Amino acid sequence: MTTAPAAPAFAKGLVGVVAAETALSSVDGANGILTYRGLNIHDLAARVSYEEIVHLLFYGKLPNKKELTKLAADLALNRKLPKGVLDHIKSSPRKATPMDVLRTAVSMLAYYDKDTEDISIEATRRKALRLVAQFPTIIAAIHRVRLGKDPIGPRAKLNHAANFMYMLHGELPSKLECDSMNLYLVLLADHSLNASTFTSRVASSTNADLHAAITAALGALKGNLHGGAAEATMNMLLEIGKVEKVDGFVEKAFDTKRKIMGIGHRIYKTGDPRARHLLEWAAKMEHDQGKGQRYVDMALSVERAVLRHKELYPNVDFFSAPLLYYLGIPTALDTCIFAASRIAGWSAHVIEQYNDSVLIRPGAMYIGPKAETFASLEERV
Ligand code: COA
């Protein structure tokens, strides 16, 4: 006698489900440890450039000097955008969110990339490098058009972070601004199977191309439970307005079950290792640019007030919010800046998925009506 196989356990929100193998990054939530290809994020933060992280994720190792020079040159060569994409950015409606314009621009890049339909590993790496190079150009153009200004073209002699800041603001960044942007880009480059990365892997598991997978990932990043949390955090700090008002705000938030943005994490339950680096650099930026503003103090007060209610810690978006604010980035652009970093991780995951692909297609627990009787159109009431 054969018995039916046991139904697999249902895990709402896929909590606790392991859905992919990856050699890219590991997240140890209990101990608050993040590694990129085995290298602890604390050893990488503020010691490597974003370009080095791109090499690490795409080619499996930190580059030597020659490899880094080549990769940096490749990125610098590929920063420009096709005219059609620039026209789209310039003609996007005023009320379109930067993430909507970015997502559409990335989808449009598929029209112009000569390798779009080629999903071989080599072609996907070429496309991925182009996307890493093009994301800052798109985002800076979106920012400037929203300000009613002309986009500024890239400067090949500047490194990735410096060029990004230059295209955003139209002037050469200070060393501190450049290093802060670089640190941010390094820290957010990859993070295991977060929602947007999972989305990119689901799309590429169907053999969809890189631009399709990245467009899907951008959709998943937009929400405020994921990439949208930095914007929501900064808006919350602006709403609180003063350090003295923090305790009352947090008290009321818990009473009314309003979520405190930038706090809590699905995996990290003892703290997010990236947060302390972002705090340190946000404080440096505040000291340098803050003109008496105290958003870092305010964020620290929120952290303390939350801990008096529940064991919840700041996540990556919490101190990113003041850091990006002091870099002169409007809150509406924060999620795009996140995407400018995560494009490296998404692309590396798509390559990993193609390397050992199986269609990702989970089941669902059906909870609708059973054995309904069909009624013809005439019979239906
Ligand atoms: N503010 C207030 N309460 C929070 C909270 C927050 N930011 N995050 C979690 N909690 C509460 C939950 O309501 C829940 O309370 P309960 O046990 O009384 O129901 C408890 O803490 C456990 O959280 P849980 O909902 O199980 O966590 P999760 O793994 O499902 O969700 C997040 C993780 C990230 C979605 C959640 O922490 C959150 O919404 N944070 C704010 C958004 C954010 O910063 N997102 C960026 C993530 S990197």
Side-chain angles (χ1 to χ4, degrees), residues 25-36 38-42 191-192 267-274 276:
S25 59
S26 76
V27 177
D28 173 348
N31 297 300
I33 298 170
L34 167 63
T35 66
Y36 291 170
L39 292 162
N40 194 303
I41 200 69
H42 298 314
H191 206 237
S192 180
I267 308 289
Y268 293 122
K269 297 302 178 192
T270 56
D272 182 328
R274 299 164 296 180
R276 75 160 133 110

mmCIF file with all atom_site columns, all heavy atoms in Angstrom, residues 25-36 38-42 191-192 267-274 276:
data_model
loop_
_atom_site.group_PDB
_atom_site.id
_atom_site.type_symbol
_atom_site.label_atom_id
_atom_site.label_alt_id
_atom_site.label_comp_id
_atom_site.label_asym_id
_atom_site.label_entity_id
_atom_site.label_seq_id
_atom_site.pdbx_PDB_ins_code
_atom_site.Cartn_x
_atom_site.Cartn_y
_atom_site.Cartn_z
_atom_site.occupancy
_atom_site.B_iso_or_equiv
_atom_site.pdbx_formal_charge
_atom_site.auth_seq_id
_atom_site.auth_comp_id
_atom_site.auth_asym_id
_atom_site.auth_atom_id
_atom_site.pdbx_PDB_model_num
ATOM 1   N N   . SER A 1 25  ? 27.125 35.934 -0.021 1.00 0.00 ? 25  SER A N   1
ATOM 2   C CA  . SER A 1 25  ? 27.168 36.559 1.303  1.00 0.00 ? 25  SER A CA  1
ATOM 3   C C   . SER A 1 25  ? 26.449 35.662 2.292  1.00 0.00 ? 25  SER A C   1
ATOM 4   O O   . SER A 1 25  ? 25.558 34.901 1.913  1.00 0.00 ? 25  SER A O   1
ATOM 5   C CB  . SER A 1 25  ? 26.525 37.953 1.271  1.00 0.00 ? 25  SER A CB  1
ATOM 6   O OG  . SER A 1 25  ? 25.186 37.860 0.855  1.00 0.00 ? 25  SER A OG  1
ATOM 7   N N   . SER A 1 26  ? 26.855 35.770 3.558  1.00 0.00 ? 26  SER A N   1
ATOM 8   C CA  . SER A 1 26  ? 26.158 34.994 4.580  1.00 0.00 ? 26  SER A CA  1
ATOM 9   C C   . SER A 1 26  ? 25.748 35.916 5.717  1.00 0.00 ? 26  SER A C   1
ATOM 10  O O   . SER A 1 26  ? 26.480 36.856 6.066  1.00 0.00 ? 26  SER A O   1
ATOM 11  C CB  . SER A 1 26  ? 27.042 33.864 5.112  1.00 0.00 ? 26  SER A CB  1
ATOM 12  O OG  . SER A 1 26  ? 27.998 34.384 5.982  1.00 0.00 ? 26  SER A OG  1
ATOM 13  N N   . VAL A 1 27  ? 24.556 35.658 6.237  1.00 0.00 ? 27  VAL A N   1
ATOM 14  C CA  . VAL A 1 27  ? 24.004 36.477 7.303  1.00 0.00 ? 27  VAL A CA  1
ATOM 15  C C   . VAL A 1 27  ? 23.730 35.566 8.499  1.00 0.00 ? 27  VAL A C   1
ATOM 16  O O   . VAL A 1 27  ? 22.927 34.646 8.409  1.00 0.00 ? 27  VAL A O   1
ATOM 17  C CB  . VAL A 1 27  ? 22.689 37.143 6.833  1.00 0.00 ? 27  VAL A CB  1
ATOM 18  C CG1 . VAL A 1 27  ? 22.065 37.934 7.959  1.00 0.00 ? 27  VAL A CG1 1
ATOM 19  C CG2 . VAL A 1 27  ? 22.926 38.038 5.622  1.00 0.00 ? 27  VAL A CG2 1
ATOM 20  N N   . ASP A 1 28  ? 24.455 35.817 9.581  1.00 0.00 ? 28  ASP A N   1
ATOM 21  C CA  . ASP A 1 28  ? 24.236 35.061 10.823 1.00 0.00 ? 28  ASP A CA  1
ATOM 22  C C   . ASP A 1 28  ? 23.442 35.988 11.748 1.00 0.00 ? 28  ASP A C   1
ATOM 23  O O   . ASP A 1 28  ? 24.003 36.879 12.382 1.00 0.00 ? 28  ASP A O   1
ATOM 24  C CB  . ASP A 1 28  ? 25.606 34.684 11.406 1.00 0.00 ? 28  ASP A CB  1
ATOM 25  C CG  . ASP A 1 28  ? 25.500 34.033 12.791 1.00 0.00 ? 28  ASP A CG  1
ATOM 26  O OD1 . ASP A 1 28  ? 24.406 34.070 13.396 1.00 0.00 ? 28  ASP A OD1 1
ATOM 27  O OD2 . ASP A 1 28  ? 26.523 33.504 13.273 1.00 0.00 ? 28  ASP A OD2 1
ATOM 28  N N   . GLY A 1 29  ? 22.139 35.755 11.766 1.00 0.00 ? 29  GLY A N   1
ATOM 29  C CA  . GLY A 1 29  ? 21.242 36.664 12.478 1.00 0.00 ? 29  GLY A CA  1
ATOM 30  C C   . GLY A 1 29  ? 21.394 36.608 13.981 1.00 0.00 ? 29  GLY A C   1
ATOM 31  O O   . GLY A 1 29  ? 21.266 37.614 14.673 1.00 0.00 ? 29  GLY A O   1
ATOM 32  N N   . ALA A 1 30  ? 21.708 35.411 14.512 1.00 0.00 ? 30  ALA A N   1
ATOM 33  C CA  . ALA A 1 30  ? 21.805 35.275 15.969 1.00 0.00 ? 30  ALA A CA  1
ATOM 34  C C   . ALA A 1 30  ? 23.022 36.026 16.498 1.00 0.00 ? 30  ALA A C   1
ATOM 35  O O   . ALA A 1 30  ? 22.994 36.605 17.585 1.00 0.00 ? 30  ALA A O   1
ATOM 36  C CB  . ALA A 1 30  ? 21.895 33.796 16.342 1.00 0.00 ? 30  ALA A CB  1
ATOM 37  N N   . ASN A 1 31  ? 24.106 36.010 15.727 1.00 0.00 ? 31  ASN A N   1
ATOM 38  C CA  . ASN A 1 31  ? 25.349 36.634 16.207 1.00 0.00 ? 31  ASN A CA  1
ATOM 39  C C   . ASN A 1 31  ? 25.653 37.963 15.526 1.00 0.00 ? 31  ASN A C   1
ATOM 40  O O   . ASN A 1 31  ? 26.703 38.561 15.797 1.00 0.00 ? 31  ASN A O   1
ATOM 41  C CB  . ASN A 1 31  ? 26.515 35.661 16.012 1.00 0.00 ? 31  ASN A CB  1
ATOM 42  C CG  . ASN A 1 31  ? 26.315 34.400 16.843 1.00 0.00 ? 31  ASN A CG  1
ATOM 43  O OD1 . ASN A 1 31  ? 26.225 34.485 18.066 1.00 0.00 ? 31  ASN A OD1 1
ATOM 44  N ND2 . ASN A 1 31  ? 26.179 33.265 16.189 1.00 0.00 ? 31  ASN A ND2 1
ATOM 45  N N   . GLY A 1 32  ? 24.772 38.403 14.639 1.00 0.00 ? 32  GLY A N   1
ATOM 46  C CA  . GLY A 1 32  ? 24.964 39.697 13.984 1.00 0.00 ? 32  GLY A CA  1
ATOM 47  C C   . GLY A 1 32  ? 26.214 39.738 13.115 1.00 0.00 ? 32  GLY A C   1
ATOM 48  O O   . GLY A 1 32  ? 26.994 40.682 13.177 1.00 0.00 ? 32  GLY A O   1
ATOM 49  N N   . ILE A 1 33  ? 26.400 38.693 12.286 1.00 0.00 ? 33  ILE A N   1
ATOM 50  C CA  . ILE A 1 33  ? 27.609 38.650 11.439 1.00 0.00 ? 33  ILE A CA  1
ATOM 51  C C   . ILE A 1 33  ? 27.203 38.622 9.963  1.00 0.00 ? 33  ILE A C   1
ATOM 52  O O   . ILE A 1 33  ? 26.350 37.818 9.556  1.00 0.00 ? 33  ILE A O   1
ATOM 53  C CB  . ILE A 1 33  ? 28.467 37.404 11.755 1.00 0.00 ? 33  ILE A CB  1
ATOM 54  C CG1 . ILE A 1 33  ? 28.945 37.451 13.212 1.00 0.00 ? 33  ILE A CG1 1
ATOM 55  C CG2 . ILE A 1 33  ? 29.665 37.305 10.808 1.00 0.00 ? 33  ILE A CG2 1
ATOM 56  C CD1 . ILE A 1 33  ? 29.600 36.173 13.697 1.00 0.00 ? 33  ILE A CD1 1
ATOM 57  N N   . LEU A 1 34  ? 27.820 39.497 9.187  1.00 0.00 ? 34  LEU A N   1
ATOM 58  C CA  . LEU A 1 34  ? 27.621 39.512 7.728  1.00 0.00 ? 34  LEU A CA  1
ATOM 59  C C   . LEU A 1 34  ? 28.975 39.315 7.065  1.00 0.00 ? 34  LEU A C   1
ATOM 60  O O   . LEU A 1 34  ? 29.948 39.993 7.418  1.00 0.00 ? 34  LEU A O   1
ATOM 61  C CB  . LEU A 1 34  ? 27.012 40.863 7.294  1.00 0.00 ? 34  LEU A CB  1
ATOM 62  C CG  . LEU A 1 34  ? 27.025 41.171 5.793  1.00 0.00 ? 34  LEU A CG  1
ATOM 63  C CD1 . LEU A 1 34  ? 26.177 40.170 5.000  1.00 0.00 ? 34  LEU A CD1 1
ATOM 64  C CD2 . LEU A 1 34  ? 26.506 42.598 5.529  1.00 0.00 ? 34  LEU A CD2 1
ATOM 65  N N   . THR A 1 35  ? 29.041 38.380 6.119  1.00 0.00 ? 35  THR A N   1
ATOM 66  C CA  . THR A 1 35  ? 30.277 38.233 5.350  1.00 0.00 ? 35  THR A CA  1
ATOM 67  C C   . THR A 1 35  ? 29.963 38.302 3.866  1.00 0.00 ? 35  THR A C   1
ATOM 68  O O   . THR A 1 35  ? 28.885 37.888 3.430  1.00 0.00 ? 35  THR A O   1
ATOM 69  C CB  . THR A 1 35  ? 31.008 36.894 5.624  1.00 0.00 ? 35  THR A CB  1
ATOM 70  O OG1 . THR A 1 35  ? 30.187 35.819 5.146  1.00 0.00 ? 35  THR A OG1 1
ATOM 71  C CG2 . THR A 1 35  ? 31.304 36.690 7.099  1.00 0.00 ? 35  THR A CG2 1
ATOM 72  N N   . TYR A 1 36  ? 30.911 38.856 3.092  1.00 0.00 ? 36  TYR A N   1
ATOM 73  C CA  . TYR A 1 36  ? 30.870 38.769 1.626  1.00 0.00 ? 36  TYR A CA  1
ATOM 74  C C   . TYR A 1 36  ? 31.950 37.763 1.239  1.00 0.00 ? 36  TYR A C   1
ATOM 75  O O   . TYR A 1 36  ? 33.124 37.977 1.501  1.00 0.00 ? 36  TYR A O   1
ATOM 76  C CB  . TYR A 1 36  ? 31.232 40.113 0.967  1.00 0.00 ? 36  TYR A CB  1
ATOM 77  C CG  . TYR A 1 36  ? 30.248 41.261 1.124  1.00 0.00 ? 36  TYR A CG  1
ATOM 78  C CD1 . TYR A 1 36  ? 30.633 42.542 0.723  1.00 0.00 ? 36  TYR A CD1 1
ATOM 79  C CD2 . TYR A 1 36  ? 28.955 41.094 1.611  1.00 0.00 ? 36  TYR A CD2 1
ATOM 80  C CE1 . TYR A 1 36  ? 29.770 43.627 0.826  1.00 0.00 ? 36  TYR A CE1 1
ATOM 81  C CE2 . TYR A 1 36  ? 28.090 42.176 1.719  1.00 0.00 ? 36  TYR A CE2 1
ATOM 82  C CZ  . TYR A 1 36  ? 28.500 43.433 1.338  1.00 0.00 ? 36  TYR A CZ  1
ATOM 83  O OH  . TYR A 1 36  ? 27.647 44.504 1.444  1.00 0.00 ? 36  TYR A OH  1
ATOM 84  N N   . GLY A 1 38  ? 32.947 35.197 2.582  1.00 0.00 ? 38  GLY A N   1
ATOM 85  C CA  . GLY A 1 38  ? 33.755 34.787 3.731  1.00 0.00 ? 38  GLY A CA  1
ATOM 86  C C   . GLY A 1 38  ? 34.488 35.924 4.423  1.00 0.00 ? 38  GLY A C   1
ATOM 87  O O   . GLY A 1 38  ? 35.099 35.718 5.475  1.00 0.00 ? 38  GLY A O   1
ATOM 88  N N   . LEU A 1 39  ? 34.454 37.127 3.848  1.00 0.00 ? 39  LEU A N   1
ATOM 89  C CA  . LEU A 1 39  ? 35.149 38.264 4.471  1.00 0.00 ? 39  LEU A CA  1
ATOM 90  C C   . LEU A 1 39  ? 34.164 39.034 5.334  1.00 0.00 ? 39  LEU A C   1
ATOM 91  O O   . LEU A 1 39  ? 33.081 39.449 4.851  1.00 0.00 ? 39  LEU A O   1
ATOM 92  C CB  . LEU A 1 39  ? 35.717 39.190 3.384  1.00 0.00 ? 39  LEU A CB  1
ATOM 93  C CG  . LEU A 1 39  ? 36.866 38.596 2.568  1.00 0.00 ? 39  LEU A CG  1
ATOM 94  C CD1 . LEU A 1 39  ? 37.083 39.355 1.272  1.00 0.00 ? 39  LEU A CD1 1
ATOM 95  C CD2 . LEU A 1 39  ? 38.150 38.627 3.406  1.00 0.00 ? 39  LEU A CD2 1
ATOM 96  N N   . ASN A 1 40  ? 34.539 39.234 6.609  1.00 0.00 ? 40  ASN A N   1
ATOM 97  C CA  . ASN A 1 40  ? 33.642 39.906 7.549  1.00 0.00 ? 40  ASN A CA  1
ATOM 98  C C   . ASN A 1 40  ? 33.430 41.363 7.124  1.00 0.00 ? 40  ASN A C   1
ATOM 99  O O   . ASN A 1 40  ? 34.389 42.051 6.761  1.00 0.00 ? 40  ASN A O   1
ATOM 100 C CB  . ASN A 1 40  ? 34.239 39.850 8.957  1.00 0.00 ? 40  ASN A CB  1
ATOM 101 C CG  . ASN A 1 40  ? 33.205 40.209 10.005 1.00 0.00 ? 40  ASN A CG  1
ATOM 102 O OD1 . ASN A 1 40  ? 32.605 41.287 9.969  1.00 0.00 ? 40  ASN A OD1 1
ATOM 103 N ND2 . ASN A 1 40  ? 32.974 39.299 10.935 1.00 0.00 ? 40  ASN A ND2 1
ATOM 104 N N   . ILE A 1 41  ? 32.190 41.825 7.188  1.00 0.00 ? 41  ILE A N   1
ATOM 105 C CA  . ILE A 1 41  ? 31.879 43.195 6.750  1.00 0.00 ? 41  ILE A CA  1
ATOM 106 C C   . ILE A 1 41  ? 32.673 44.220 7.568  1.00 0.00 ? 41  ILE A C   1
ATOM 107 O O   . ILE A 1 41  ? 33.038 45.281 7.051  1.00 0.00 ? 41  ILE A O   1
ATOM 108 C CB  . ILE A 1 41  ? 30.348 43.470 6.815  1.00 0.00 ? 41  ILE A CB  1
ATOM 109 C CG1 . ILE A 1 41  ? 29.968 44.662 5.936  1.00 0.00 ? 41  ILE A CG1 1
ATOM 110 C CG2 . ILE A 1 41  ? 29.849 43.669 8.222  1.00 0.00 ? 41  ILE A CG2 1
ATOM 111 C CD1 . ILE A 1 41  ? 30.090 44.436 4.478  1.00 0.00 ? 41  ILE A CD1 1
ATOM 112 N N   . HIS A 1 42  ? 33.006 43.880 8.826  1.00 0.00 ? 42  HIS A N   1
ATOM 113 C CA  . HIS A 1 42  ? 33.790 44.823 9.637  1.00 0.00 ? 42  HIS A CA  1
ATOM 114 C C   . HIS A 1 42  ? 35.211 44.998 9.078  1.00 0.00 ? 42  HIS A C   1
ATOM 115 O O   . HIS A 1 42  ? 35.830 46.033 9.266  1.00 0.00 ? 42  HIS A O   1
ATOM 116 C CB  . HIS A 1 42  ? 33.874 44.356 11.097 1.00 0.00 ? 42  HIS A CB  1
ATOM 117 C CG  . HIS A 1 42  ? 32.527 44.290 11.764 1.00 0.00 ? 42  HIS A CG  1
ATOM 118 N ND1 . HIS A 1 42  ? 31.589 45.295 11.662 1.00 0.00 ? 42  HIS A ND1 1
ATOM 119 C CD2 . HIS A 1 42  ? 31.959 43.328 12.535 1.00 0.00 ? 42  HIS A CD2 1
ATOM 120 C CE1 . HIS A 1 42  ? 30.499 44.955 12.339 1.00 0.00 ? 42  HIS A CE1 1
ATOM 121 N NE2 . HIS A 1 42  ? 30.695 43.775 12.870 1.00 0.00 ? 42  HIS A NE2 1
ATOM 122 N N   . HIS A 1 191 ? 23.210 41.024 0.415  1.00 0.00 ? 191 HIS A N   1
ATOM 123 C CA  . HIS A 1 191 ? 22.679 40.633 1.716  1.00 0.00 ? 191 HIS A CA  1
ATOM 124 C C   . HIS A 1 191 ? 21.849 39.368 1.611  1.00 0.00 ? 191 HIS A C   1
ATOM 125 O O   . HIS A 1 191 ? 20.648 39.357 1.936  1.00 0.00 ? 191 HIS A O   1
ATOM 126 C CB  . HIS A 1 191 ? 21.857 41.775 2.322  1.00 0.00 ? 191 HIS A CB  1
ATOM 127 C CG  . HIS A 1 191 ? 21.807 41.722 3.813  1.00 0.00 ? 191 HIS A CG  1
ATOM 128 N ND1 . HIS A 1 191 ? 20.649 41.667 4.530  1.00 0.00 ? 191 HIS A ND1 1
ATOM 129 C CD2 . HIS A 1 191 ? 22.806 41.676 4.724  1.00 0.00 ? 191 HIS A CD2 1
ATOM 130 C CE1 . HIS A 1 191 ? 20.928 41.600 5.818  1.00 0.00 ? 191 HIS A CE1 1
ATOM 131 N NE2 . HIS A 1 191 ? 22.238 41.614 5.956  1.00 0.00 ? 191 HIS A NE2 1
ATOM 132 N N   . SER A 1 192 ? 22.512 38.300 1.165  1.00 0.00 ? 192 SER A N   1
ATOM 133 C CA  . SER A 1 192 ? 21.862 36.997 1.122  1.00 0.00 ? 192 SER A CA  1
ATOM 134 C C   . SER A 1 192 ? 20.512 37.071 0.395  1.00 0.00 ? 192 SER A C   1
ATOM 135 O O   . SER A 1 192 ? 20.376 37.837 -0.560 1.00 0.00 ? 192 SER A O   1
ATOM 136 C CB  . SER A 1 192 ? 21.751 36.471 2.561  1.00 0.00 ? 192 SER A CB  1
ATOM 137 O OG  . SER A 1 192 ? 21.150 35.231 2.600  1.00 0.00 ? 192 SER A OG  1
ATOM 138 N N   . ILE A 1 267 ? 16.002 38.704 9.987  1.00 0.00 ? 267 ILE A N   1
ATOM 139 C CA  . ILE A 1 267 ? 17.071 37.749 10.308 1.00 0.00 ? 267 ILE A CA  1
ATOM 140 C C   . ILE A 1 267 ? 17.889 38.190 11.529 1.00 0.00 ? 267 ILE A C   1
ATOM 141 O O   . ILE A 1 267 ? 18.155 37.403 12.428 1.00 0.00 ? 267 ILE A O   1
ATOM 142 C CB  . ILE A 1 267 ? 18.038 37.565 9.102  1.00 0.00 ? 267 ILE A CB  1
ATOM 143 C CG1 . ILE A 1 267 ? 17.251 37.231 7.816  1.00 0.00 ? 267 ILE A CG1 1
ATOM 144 C CG2 . ILE A 1 267 ? 19.086 36.485 9.414  1.00 0.00 ? 267 ILE A CG2 1
ATOM 145 C CD1 . ILE A 1 267 ? 16.639 35.868 7.758  1.00 0.00 ? 267 ILE A CD1 1
ATOM 146 N N   . TYR A 1 268 ? 18.334 39.461 11.537 1.00 0.00 ? 268 TYR A N   1
ATOM 147 C CA  . TYR A 1 268 ? 19.160 39.924 12.668 1.00 0.00 ? 268 TYR A CA  1
ATOM 148 C C   . TYR A 1 268 ? 18.289 40.114 13.899 1.00 0.00 ? 268 TYR A C   1
ATOM 149 O O   . TYR A 1 268 ? 17.385 40.956 13.896 1.00 0.00 ? 268 TYR A O   1
ATOM 150 C CB  . TYR A 1 268 ? 19.825 41.260 12.358 1.00 0.00 ? 268 TYR A CB  1
ATOM 151 C CG  . TYR A 1 268 ? 20.863 41.215 11.262 1.00 0.00 ? 268 TYR A CG  1
ATOM 152 C CD1 . TYR A 1 268 ? 20.733 42.018 10.141 1.00 0.00 ? 268 TYR A CD1 1
ATOM 153 C CD2 . TYR A 1 268 ? 21.979 40.391 11.355 1.00 0.00 ? 268 TYR A CD2 1
ATOM 154 C CE1 . TYR A 1 268 ? 21.682 41.996 9.129  1.00 0.00 ? 268 TYR A CE1 1
ATOM 155 C CE2 . TYR A 1 268 ? 22.929 40.350 10.348 1.00 0.00 ? 268 TYR A CE2 1
ATOM 156 C CZ  . TYR A 1 268 ? 22.775 41.156 9.239  1.00 0.00 ? 268 TYR A CZ  1
ATOM 157 O OH  . TYR A 1 268 ? 23.708 41.124 8.247  1.00 0.00 ? 268 TYR A OH  1
ATOM 158 N N   . LYS A 1 269 ? 18.552 39.378 14.945 1.00 0.00 ? 269 LYS A N   1
ATOM 159 C CA  . LYS A 1 269 ? 17.760 39.549 16.158 1.00 0.00 ? 269 LYS A CA  1
ATOM 160 C C   . LYS A 1 269 ? 18.595 40.135 17.302 1.00 0.00 ? 269 LYS A C   1
ATOM 161 O O   . LYS A 1 269 ? 18.094 40.387 18.387 1.00 0.00 ? 269 LYS A O   1
ATOM 162 C CB  . LYS A 1 269 ? 17.114 38.211 16.580 1.00 0.00 ? 269 LYS A CB  1
ATOM 163 C CG  . LYS A 1 269 ? 16.113 37.670 15.537 1.00 0.00 ? 269 LYS A CG  1
ATOM 164 C CD  . LYS A 1 269 ? 14.959 38.645 15.231 1.00 0.00 ? 269 LYS A CD  1
ATOM 165 C CE  . LYS A 1 269 ? 14.004 38.148 14.168 1.00 0.00 ? 269 LYS A CE  1
ATOM 166 N NZ  . LYS A 1 269 ? 13.064 39.161 13.647 1.00 0.00 ? 269 LYS A NZ  1
ATOM 167 N N   . THR A 1 270 ? 19.895 40.355 17.053 1.00 0.00 ? 270 THR A N   1
ATOM 168 C CA  . THR A 1 270 ? 20.736 40.973 18.092 1.00 0.00 ? 270 THR A CA  1
ATOM 169 C C   . THR A 1 270 ? 21.412 42.232 17.556 1.00 0.00 ? 270 THR A C   1
ATOM 170 O O   . THR A 1 270 ? 22.318 42.767 18.188 1.00 0.00 ? 270 THR A O   1
ATOM 171 C CB  . THR A 1 270 ? 21.834 39.993 18.562 1.00 0.00 ? 270 THR A CB  1
ATOM 172 O OG1 . THR A 1 270 ? 22.594 39.579 17.416 1.00 0.00 ? 270 THR A OG1 1
ATOM 173 C CG2 . THR A 1 270 ? 21.248 38.774 19.237 1.00 0.00 ? 270 THR A CG2 1
ATOM 174 N N   . GLY A 1 271 ? 21.003 42.683 16.394 1.00 0.00 ? 271 GLY A N   1
ATOM 175 C CA  . GLY A 1 271 ? 21.586 43.901 15.816 1.00 0.00 ? 271 GLY A CA  1
ATOM 176 C C   . GLY A 1 271 ? 22.176 43.639 14.441 1.00 0.00 ? 271 GLY A C   1
ATOM 177 O O   . GLY A 1 271 ? 22.634 42.532 14.152 1.00 0.00 ? 271 GLY A O   1
ATOM 178 N N   . ASP A 1 272 ? 22.144 44.669 13.621 1.00 0.00 ? 272 ASP A N   1
ATOM 179 C CA  . ASP A 1 272 ? 22.627 44.598 12.235 1.00 0.00 ? 272 ASP A CA  1
ATOM 180 C C   . ASP A 1 272 ? 24.063 45.134 12.223 1.00 0.00 ? 272 ASP A C   1
ATOM 181 O O   . ASP A 1 272 ? 24.301 46.276 12.614 1.00 0.00 ? 272 ASP A O   1
ATOM 182 C CB  . ASP A 1 272 ? 21.686 45.475 11.380 1.00 0.00 ? 272 ASP A CB  1
ATOM 183 C CG  . ASP A 1 272 ? 22.031 45.473 9.901  1.00 0.00 ? 272 ASP A CG  1
ATOM 184 O OD1 . ASP A 1 272 ? 23.224 45.354 9.564  1.00 0.00 ? 272 ASP A OD1 1
ATOM 185 O OD2 . ASP A 1 272 ? 21.094 45.623 9.096  1.00 0.00 ? 272 ASP A OD2 1
ATOM 186 N N   . PRO A 1 273 ? 25.036 44.307 11.804 1.00 0.00 ? 273 PRO A N   1
ATOM 187 C CA  . PRO A 1 273 ? 26.442 44.735 11.907 1.00 0.00 ? 273 PRO A CA  1
ATOM 188 C C   . PRO A 1 273 ? 26.767 45.970 11.061 1.00 0.00 ? 273 PRO A C   1
ATOM 189 O O   . PRO A 1 273 ? 27.766 46.641 11.313 1.00 0.00 ? 273 PRO A O   1
ATOM 190 C CB  . PRO A 1 273 ? 27.222 43.510 11.404 1.00 0.00 ? 273 PRO A CB  1
ATOM 191 C CG  . PRO A 1 273 ? 26.256 42.743 10.563 1.00 0.00 ? 273 PRO A CG  1
ATOM 192 C CD  . PRO A 1 273 ? 24.905 42.976 11.179 1.00 0.00 ? 273 PRO A CD  1
ATOM 193 N N   . ARG A 1 274 ? 25.962 46.266 10.065 1.00 0.00 ? 274 ARG A N   1
ATOM 194 C CA  . ARG A 1 274 ? 26.241 47.425 9.206  1.00 0.00 ? 274 ARG A CA  1
ATOM 195 C C   . ARG A 1 274 ? 25.879 48.729 9.902  1.00 0.00 ? 274 ARG A C   1
ATOM 196 O O   . ARG A 1 274 ? 26.405 49.794 9.576  1.00 0.00 ? 274 ARG A O   1
ATOM 197 C CB  . ARG A 1 274 ? 25.451 47.295 7.892  1.00 0.00 ? 274 ARG A CB  1
ATOM 198 C CG  . ARG A 1 274 ? 25.815 46.049 7.093  1.00 0.00 ? 274 ARG A CG  1
ATOM 199 C CD  . ARG A 1 274 ? 24.799 45.715 6.041  1.00 0.00 ? 274 ARG A CD  1
ATOM 200 N NE  . ARG A 1 274 ? 23.487 45.374 6.611  1.00 0.00 ? 274 ARG A NE  1
ATOM 201 C CZ  . ARG A 1 274 ? 22.424 45.051 5.900  1.00 0.00 ? 274 ARG A CZ  1
ATOM 202 N NH1 . ARG A 1 274 ? 22.500 45.024 4.586  1.00 0.00 ? 274 ARG A NH1 1
ATOM 203 N NH2 . ARG A 1 274 ? 21.281 44.757 6.481  1.00 0.00 ? 274 ARG A NH2 1
ATOM 204 N N   . ARG A 1 276 ? 26.454 50.043 12.856 1.00 0.00 ? 276 ARG A N   1
ATOM 205 C CA  . ARG A 1 276 ? 27.414 50.845 13.626 1.00 0.00 ? 276 ARG A CA  1
ATOM 206 C C   . ARG A 1 276 ? 28.362 51.628 12.717 1.00 0.00 ? 276 ARG A C   1
ATOM 207 O O   . ARG A 1 276 ? 28.806 52.714 13.064 1.00 0.00 ? 276 ARG A O   1
ATOM 208 C CB  . ARG A 1 276 ? 28.150 49.992 14.642 1.00 0.00 ? 276 ARG A CB  1
ATOM 209 C CG  . ARG A 1 276 ? 29.218 49.089 14.104 1.00 0.00 ? 276 ARG A CG  1
ATOM 210 C CD  . ARG A 1 276 ? 30.150 48.723 15.280 1.00 0.00 ? 276 ARG A CD  1
ATOM 211 N NE  . ARG A 1 276 ? 30.444 47.328 15.346 1.00 0.00 ? 276 ARG A NE  1
ATOM 212 C CZ  . ARG A 1 276 ? 31.664 46.843 15.065 1.00 0.00 ? 276 ARG A CZ  1
ATOM 213 N NH1 . ARG A 1 276 ? 32.623 47.644 14.694 1.00 0.00 ? 276 ARG A NH1 1
ATOM 214 N NH2 . ARG A 1 276 ? 31.895 45.567 15.164 1.00 0.00 ? 276 ARG A NH2 1
#
